[in-house]
Amino acid sequence: MALFDLPIERLRSYRPERDEPADFDAFWSRTLAEAGEFDLAATFTPYDLPLAAVDVYDVSFAGWGGHRVNGWFLTPRGADRPLPCVMHYIGYSGGRGFPHDHLLWPAAGYAVFVMETRGHGGASPQHPGVTGDPHGGDHAQAPGMMTRGILDPETYYYRRVFTDAVRAVDAAAAHPAVDAARIVVSGGSQGGGIAQATAALRPSVKGALIDVPFLTDFRRAVEITDRDPYQEIVRFLASRRDGAERVFATLAYFDGLNFAARGRVPALYSVALMDDVCPPSTVFGAYNHWQGPKEITVWPWNGHEGGAGFQREKQLRHLRELLADG
Amino acid sequence: MALFDLPIERLRSYRPERDEPADFDAFWSRTLAEAGEFDLAATFTPYDLPLAAVDVYDVSFAGWGGHRVNGWFLTPRGADRPLPCVMHYIGYSGGRGFPHDHLLWPAAGYAVFVMETRGHGGASPQHPGVTGDPHGGDHAQAPGMMTRGILDPETYYYRRVFTDAVRAVDAAAAHPAVDAARIVVSGGSQGGGIAQATAALRPSVKGALIDVPFLTDFRRAVEITDRDPYQEIVRFLASRRDGAERVFATLAYFDGLNFAARGRVPALYSVALMDDVCPPSTVFGAYNHWQGPKEITVWPWNGHEGGAGFQREKQLRHLRELLADG
Amino acid sequence: MALFDLPIERLRSYRPERDEPADFDAFWSRTLAEAGEFDLAATFTPYDLPLAAVDVYDVSFAGWGGHRVNGWFLTPRGADRPLPCVMHYIGYSGGRGFPHDHLLWPAAGYAVFVMETRGHGGASPQHPGVTGDPHGGDHAQAPGMMTRGILDPETYYYRRVFTDAVRAVDAAAAHPAVDAARIVVSGGSQGGGIAQATAALRPSVKGALIDVPFLTDFRRAVEITDRDPYQEIVRFLASRRDGAERVFATLAYFDGLNFAARGRVPALYSVALMDDVCPPSTVFGAYNHWQGPKEITVWPWNGHEGGAGFQREKQLRHLRELLADG
Amino acid sequence: MALFDLPIERLRSYRPERDEPADFDAFWSRTLAEAGEFDLAATFTPYDLPLAAVDVYDVSFAGWGGHRVNGWFLTPRGADRPLPCVMHYIGYSGGRGFPHDHLLWPAAGYAVFVMETRGHGGASPQHPGVTGDPHGGDHAQAPGMMTRGILDPETYYYRRVFTDAVRAVDAAAAHPAVDAARIVVSGGSQGGGIAQATAALRPSVKGALIDVPFLTDFRRAVEITDRDPYQEIVRFLASRRDGAERVFATLAYFDGLNFAARGRVPALYSVALMDDVCPPSTVFGAYNHWQGPKEITVWPWNGHEGGAGFQREKQLRHLRELLADG
Amino acid sequence: MALFDLPIERLRSYRPERDEPADFDAFWSRTLAEAGEFDLAATFTPYDLPLAAVDVYDVSFAGWGGHRVNGWFLTPRGADRPLPCVMHYIGYSGGRGFPHDHLLWPAAGYAVFVMETRGHGGASPQHPGVTGDPHGGDHAQAPGMMTRGILDPETYYYRRVFTDAVRAVDAAAAHPAVDAARIVVSGGSQGGGIAQATAALRPSVKGALIDVPFLTDFRRAVEITDRDPYQEIVRFLASRRDGAERVFATLAYFDGLNFAARGRVPALYSVALMDDVCPPSTVFGAYNHWQGPKEITVWPWNGHEGGAGFQREKQLRHLRELLADG
Amino acid sequence: MALFDLPIERLRSYRPERDEPADFDAFWSRTLAEAGEFDLAATFTPYDLPLAAVDVYDVSFAGWGGHRVNGWFLTPRGADRPLPCVMHYIGYSGGRGFPHDHLLWPAAGYAVFVMETRGHGGASPQHPGVTGDPHGGDHAQAPGMMTRGILDPETYYYRRVFTDAVRAVDAAAAHPAVDAARIVVSGGSQGGGIAQATAALRPSVKGALIDVPFLTDFRRAVEITDRDPYQEIVRFLASRRDGAERVFATLAYFDGLNFAARGRVPALYSVALMDDVCPPSTVFGAYNHWQGPKEITVWPWNGHEGGAGFQREKQLRHLRELLADG
């Protein structure tokens, strides 16, 4: 990959205009309130694996619209008091995978709550998913999830996903093994975008780990990268000729720039300079708007894999400090 | 494209075993009966185009589940009595496009009723669609429509589509400009598969034009072609490891082989020997099971484009005879 | 497709220098005069199709060098006086296709005259062609038609094509079913380039419909797009090392910029901002040079498909006004 | 992926001829004996990660030729007696990655010893490696490791790798935290091929987990798949015209078929029927030659990802039985 | 490349049916006789290069229809008597390139006469060509030369090429530096097909060097390979639906099988078993029909590059014997 | 290829900053001195080919570390005094090929000494190689040679290659058929980079022919091109996260910019403006730093093939003047 975005010197201070609807906060308050009318009804079913060190639960809870959302919940075996918990959101197209894909945080002494992104994971042999999105579309859409219901913020796919994500925090917080005051949201790519939004929508979380976040500065993204999934939006607009105004009006309610501008908890970001899936300017755009304590790791020679396991090690050390109890 | 399927000599007599559920007919009777509880509520809204020769209507009717399904209805202007009508079903990923894409049958003196395939057409700049599929999925699926709800015949996407298609026939038959005794179903690829099914499910139609049909002999198709959309099924099965039995049990209710074995109206098929999207053996498999009068045009040097406009000319001549009013 | 050309604000006023040979007009006057020595010898052979609404003719006339050029001529059946006629020129690599591909203008009440681009259409299964280019090449060329005879304006392929196009107008004008005062030229891509040139060379036409025109601002085009057919020129120059000066000297006689600067009839252009086949700056370059009444439709999210059927609807409305009699 | 190899019915009993050098066992005895002259000099350096549940060591030992080979060694924290240990060998092109990539076996209560494949992992951003192969090539080779030194069994790359793998077992066995009687070799693809060879060369191991093994039935593999890394051999032979006899003579000393025929410990294999990297017939060929207790999991709809995490769960259960103490 | 054609054991004896027109010989006699009415008018213009060892001439002669065909003629400097001459025909899409591309045969003590294939070489930066094919097409064709005039043997492109090739032999034979009794035809791919035909049409040549010949067993070739240039024919037939019978009737006059069956001079063939451009069965088909003394080199691991320089060395040794004077 | 680098006007004067280690000259003096402790031990084994005009020798000499490096040496037969000699270095991935690939300079009256680039040529069917690089890697590397030993200038692959190249000059100079005062270094791409370095390291050479040189301005190259082999470095850095500083510190000892700044002999460069393998700004960067007499040929429409045979003709004429004796 050659460099294709702004040079790092400019990225450091790049802080784009945000397109924020006047009723942004009202929209989300109402959305979460409506969802709150459904009982969480979280279930944690023990999942039989011959693992000595962790307890594994097959999780399900009522997300947006009361729809069942699946995931995994793992805790280190034998803890004698509530533990910090890492919320893990998944990247585009992946499912929750297997419990043993998520052993990192338990090994570090934390619980982990993995939430599936509804509808994803059906063509992901290494990280399969199960959760459906029972809410179909009221208009034709491009394949993939980016444009499902995109003509109206009320019906847009990510309204359901972000709501699921907030409620997953609630489900985790209510679990007796979890110390509700020490929940951290995390994820990479789509998962990073969800974590970013959730940190803004549920400011009680303790921190956020946001890697190469997707769903951020849509307007710029669709103009500077040829890659999916941002290009799903372009294909939709190429077909739906009269849709651009409505589409961008919808996306303004879901843009990571607007969530970042509401982020007040400590955030550890990462960005890759050769990332043509989530271009670095879109990541720095959000980072530079973030209001809370923050730090960003720059991977100059990487693409969308970003910091990969190196970033995990940074996060381990970051959380050791952040979550140290009293 | 090199030849990759059976040689033409063997195709002529290739008649594969069918996997037919015992309650195949009951399933469809019940399905159509349930749908019949929704009023068709067909609307034909005049669409303003400066065309002198045809009347154009933006069509909508209540398909499966009462969901609105869109389409076009065009009639030659100035007819003094009810006309034959060609039902036109659309290929995978396309929408209804524009009224002027469908001028052929009106120019021949017939009405044409174009039905959208719900959910398709959202990334199709030349043939955009509008109809959504409000029925989402109760499990994760591969992108595209092939695997939506595929774990159960009740929820499978094509249950809704085939039902829509039958009801579209009903909507056309009820229109005063249409001679209900002279309705012909037609389509290519997915559209051909829909026409094939509809001819079996609504045997009152007068004939069927079935080009390079998709949705036929799924089992063989997924094993001999690397191409989408059949491969959407393989990607799903690669992810959903325990799903194969349920998937093929579902598909048996939707397999063109089983519909063809119930086809009794005159059918004009076409097939292309270098078609790696809908392999020729899957087409001949259905054709050789068809029970009614039949004819097949073989295009030896073509891929999935099949007979293209040449086949249209054949169809014009075929319909001139078939639809001649006595 | 990401954006890759100038931003729309700059395109609006982008008006490049033109490289115009001193004898540009003389060259074309002479060329057309020489061609004029061949009798047009247009033949309109009825083509048997069971279409009730239109009369179809298989057309042939003597183009450049007296070579036979083929096409279709369709008229609405039963007109009682001469009708407006739309000249339709074809895009690169396509042939005339089938009569029923051209039902739009007859449905609108106009005649349509479809002219093949000589030599094209031999590998176009959906839009086959028949017309050859009996004038071979006096030097080696890149495959395709872009560089045939390109070392000299006298022998360049498009000298023959543009001449054919002008003579096609003459053939249409002479047909009794056509109102010679109401002929409009049209086309997309290569067809748009031909229409653009023809409107300049036969200023008696009533208007021009020019979609995403090719053959325009060759110099810029070969430097900013990697796509064929413009890249055929680059491949030729990569091989013919001493040819650039001669090639661009030739192309100056065929550049849409120079024809646009002579365009005086009303023109309806269209352009797509993500079109990497005919980049938007080359289209705006011509449009901004056009001398007559003009309008341009900008498709911001589309590639070379441009406005597709949406643009057809605009054209229908545009022609309704332009061609209104009385 | 379409099916391309033998049908599953034939695979079940497919047992190809083996090409075995007369001195196969002597070659390996001598090779291991020579390597044995270098002290293992295994070092286990604690690696600082804030993980509560495991102890992590950065491992290094003297492999073939005394070259340092790197890896990871992880043990569940707080074990009060020696534990079973899983040897994990890596797939082609990957390095050892990060300690936290290998938490599965510690979570199950076992130690894990991860050995790098020398020279790999230098272009693997998600699973980086560090170990070099100080033994360069005495002849030109195709890029990649498949053909390094391939003209002579003495200098072939995998002579060094298999020796490293055996010595890694020795290094693990000598570690006080490991119960030397309960060591299991494992790996997928190249790692599966190494595990297969190691089980034959160090028959004291307790069992083998062999997933979609590479390096098996080279002769058939190079003729039925177009994919790397087997095709590295073809590219080499296309260049080295006189090399085929020597190359296959060399490969006979490294062919998984010959190791499988010496396998006597319990083996759990897996194979994928749409795997065009390690075609299923090459896997079944080895499996059907395996002499010990054995079981194979067939993944009918998967490619080279094989069973992925599903196979991990099977292995967990398999080892629970196999490694149960007393 | 995996193996895809018949196994070598079957190839050795594979001798397909030939489709030979009754007037095959008459057609070619007449063709050559008609061409013979044009004076050869060969010119050999000294080409100024500072080469001490060879004399270089820019060659031109009147080929089919009297059209000028270009090439190079090189002789070792200072020969004191007429020398053997190697005719070199060029592969598809290439031109004559540079004089210094052809130093092999002069270095061996022979003259070399390089003939361009008319129309090729216009997009070949490393081997540019200059010769045009002034005979255009009387019907639309697929891009490339394979289908130019293919509807009739009289107008087919290779009628002109093969005639050029025979006349090139005549031009060489008439040159005072050449020993007309010791002329050998040679070439690879298209050049091999031309050499094969020329050896049959001008049986006075002394021998033939035929590498991976193209233009041989068209019927089989188009069915078993996906690669160009054979696929140009398929693309044409996909477009020209009624053309297959005429196309294959034409090709029968140009099929290498029929020329091979007339080959009586010593021939050295080569073939590559992984060649998907000119599949090995088509080469063996011709070789097994060849009537004269013959030998074939089989390259088991190569694609269309065949024996490359290795085959050149074989040819050097072969010619040393064949052309030894005495 | 579209233009992607600086415009030609800016390239003419583009002279980037150089990153030069303080001990650059000392590093190379020491390196060559160390290598000098190995006897050259050049052998010239006659190679039997039936070529009348040249004598061919299979060459081998002791390069860096005393490793045997292979090549060809060809002289015009029958010279009566020592001749000028052209050193020919090979492009990336190629081997020495065949003696008859190198007939140009002998035909011009010069000897030619072809040196293989160690390790290359093992997957190059048309230009096979034999020389290995016995110096393996002390760390994991990306496939290919670009990153072998790249973490330290002492172990970097090109330290050995450039040393080989200088010693090849010495081997040629010592041959009795060569006039040591008239040796010219030459090559394209990697060969151009080697020639450029060698001219600086062995300033006794008479001149340099440097075509589209690789290994020049690494820092810029890796940022503006997506193409291999420069991208091998990026893939390595993407994996070796902590390596960038060391990698660029190493590369500074091998950067063509630094060698060019030491070039004092007459140099004939060539560059192609659409070359995305060795971007034109990296070539002009070196050219504009070259200290000696110089000339550059610009190929505006070519990619990495650059001037191809055209450049050879220029070089022939250039050398005729440069090497004229007396």
Side-chain angles (χ1 to χ4, degrees), chain B:
Chain B
M1 197 57 219
L3 289 176
F4 69 101
D5 204 338
L6 302 175
I8 180 65
E9 304 76 38
R10 289 200 45 201
L11 290 171
R12 294 281 182 197
S13 59
Y14 175 73
R15 202 160 170 278
E17 292 293 301
R18 294 185 296 110
D19 171 19
E20 183 175 302
D23 66 339
F24 183 92
D25 292 311
F27 171 81
W28 282 108
S29 297
R30 178 170 51 78
T31 293
L32 296 177
E34 283 170 16
E37 291 171 20
F38 293 93
D39 191 82
L40 257 181
T43 61
F44 296 80
T45 312
Y47 183 84
D48 175 36
L49 272 186
L51 295 180
V54 296
D55 291 311
V56 178
Y57 302 90
D58 190 336
V59 174
S60 165
F61 67 95
W64 187 94
H67 303 148
R68 301 307 297 176
V69 175
N70 303 91
W72 298 117
F73 181 66
L74 285 77
T75 54
R77 186 163 294 167
D80 53 1
R81 54 176 179 163
L83 296 171
C85 178
V86 177
M87 305 302 301
H88 180 68
Y89 304 113
I90 309 287
Y92 202 84
S93 87
R96 64 180 181 176
F98 304 92
H100 58 263
D101 293 334
H102 306 288
L103 294 169
L104 175 62
W105 303 119
Y110 311 138
V112 63
F113 187 111
V114 179
M115 183 194 93
E116 284 207 332
T117 327
R118 50 171 66 208
H120 284 288
S124 178
Q126 311 211 48
H127 301 289
V130 296
T131 307
D133 177 23
H135 196 285
D138 52 339
H139 59 77
Q141 61 165 102
M145 291 300 187
M146 283 306 292
T147 61
R148 185 178 279 192
I150 200 170
L151 292 177
D152 189 325
E154 299 295 319
T155 58
Y156 188 39
Y157 170 72
Y158 283 106
R159 182 171 181 241
R160 302 191 286 283
V161 171
F162 290 175
T163 302
D164 294 347
V166 170
R167 288 171 68 83
V169 173
D170 298 344
H175 193 281
V178 170
D179 173 359
R182 290 188 295 167
I183 292 177
V184 167
V185 291
S186 77
S189 193
Q190 177 188 260
I194 299 172
Q196 186 174 247
T198 307
L201 294 172
R202 203 46 112 222
S204 61
V205 299
K206 182 77 176 177
L209 309 175
I210 299 170
D211 296 318
V212 291
F214 180 50
L215 305 171
T216 296
D217 203 349
F218 293 100
R219 176 70 76 161
R220 178 174 176 86
V222 298
E223 290 185 3
I224 66 166
T225 176
D226 281 340
R227 298 282 306 271
D228 277 341
Y230 278 123
Q231 280 288 311
E232 291 184 21
I233 298 171
V234 172
R235 284 196 292 277
F236 179 78
L237 293 176
S239 180
R240 186 81 181 212
R241 306 295 178 112
D242 61 349
E245 198 175 343
R246 288 171 67 188
V247 162
F248 287 106
T250 292
L251 291 173
Y253 290 90
F254 302 90
D255 195 321
L257 294 181
N258 294 332
F259 290 112
R262 284 162 173 77
R264 289 197 154 68
V265 301
L268 176 61
Y269 272 79
S270 67
V271 64
L273 299 190
M274 290 175 169
D275 183 354
D276 58 349
V277 175
C278 294
S281 59
T282 64
V283 179
F284 267 104
Y287 177 74
N288 288 331
H289 274 296
W290 188 270
Q291 299 294 309
K294 60 189 173 185
E295 184 186 341
I296 189 165
T297 318
V298 179
W299 298 100
W301 303 100
N302 287 86
H304 193 52
E305 75 277 3
F310 292 99
Q311 190 67 18
R312 293 298 87 62
E313 298 200 359
K314 268 190 176 285
Q315 292 172 339
L316 278 172
R317 296 194 169 88
H318 177 84
L319 291 191
R320 181 165 48 177
E321 291 199 16
L322 183 70
L323 301 177
D325 41 4

Side-chain angles (χ1 to χ4, degrees), chain D residues 17-28:
Chain D
E17 291 292 303
R18 294 184 296 111
D19 172 19
E20 184 177 301
D23 65 339
F24 183 91
D25 292 311
F27 171 81
W28 282 108

Side-chain angles (χ1 to χ4, degrees), chain E residues 103-104 107 309-310 312-313 316-317, chain F residues 45-49 51 54-59 71-75 96-106 112 114 126-128:
Chain E
L103 293 170
L104 174 62
F310 291 98
R312 290 300 85 62
E313 298 200 0
L316 278 172
R317 294 194 170 88
Chain F
T45 311
Y47 183 85
D48 175 35
L49 273 186
L51 294 180
V54 295
D55 291 310
V56 178
Y57 302 91
D58 190 335
V59 174
W72 298 118
F73 181 64
L74 285 78
T75 55
R96 64 179 181 177
F98 304 92
H100 57 264
D101 293 335
H102 306 288
L103 295 170
L104 175 61
W105 303 119
V112 63
V114 179
Q126 311 211 49
H127 301 289

Side-chain angles (χ1 to χ4, degrees), chain D residues 40-45 57-63 66-73 96 113-114 131 171:
Chain D
L40 258 182
T43 60
F44 295 80
T45 312
Y57 302 89
D58 189 336
V59 174
S60 166
F61 67 94
H67 304 147
R68 301 307 297 176
V69 175
N70 302 92
W72 299 117
F73 181 65
R96 64 179 180 176
F113 188 111
V114 180
T131 308

